[in-house]
Amino acid sequence: QVRLEESGGGLVQAGGSLRLSCAASETIKRIVAMAWYRQAPGKERELVAAITTSGPVHYADSVKGRFTISRDNVNTTVSLQMDSLKAEDTAVYYCHVDALVAGKGRTDYWGQGTQVTVSS
């Protein structure tokens, strides 16, 4: 079973930066997209940023110009550089991989989540 492991969360002051990283426990061959989601207390999980195999990148309006997603296809890693952090960015951040798996079809993989707390 493939596992996604996130790192890089923590406590930072408003205006600061954090970099989240996510690595798969084994190579995932046919990735459709890699993404970061977040869930704040009392709110639904929301898409923060996504990057497809072909290259197009999507950002939530609330993070455009502040967050940058990047990926390494060979090592199945995805990172999220978060700059100019705001208190409203406080949430648990989840790594997600959408892949085509032989014998299973379209498959979702999720990380366990990493806490990001921005103090104002």
Side-chain angles (χ1 to χ4, degrees), residues 8-105:
L11 173 65
V12 64
Q13 289 187 334
S17 298
L18 282 175
R19 184 176 180 86
L20 305 182
S21 295
C22 173
S25 57
E26 58 189 77
T27 299
I28 302 174
K29 293 183 179 180
R30 298 178 67 187
I31 294 174
V32 176
M34 303 180 79
W36 288 93
Y37 286 75
R38 68 186 181 187
Q39 187 167 19
K43 295 187 178 181
E44 294 186 354
R45 190 173 296 189
E46 64 173 353
L47 176 65
V48 175
I51 183 167
T52 64
T53 299
S54 56
V57 176
H58 169 79
Y59 293 100
D61 288 342
S62 58
V63 306
K64 282 180 181 176
R66 300 188 298 119
F67 290 12
T68 304
I69 189 170
S70 58
R71 61 181 286 181
D72 179 338
N73 291 337
V74 174
N75 296 312
T76 313
T77 62
V78 60
S79 298
L80 185 69
Q81 177 66 38
M82 305 185 294
D83 299 318
S84 302
L85 283 161
K86 304 175 181 180
E88 50 264 43
D89 295 318
T90 296
V92 177
Y93 284 70
Y94 297 90
C95 173
H96 174 260
V97 172
D98 177 6
L100 292 170
V101 178
K104 294 179 64 177

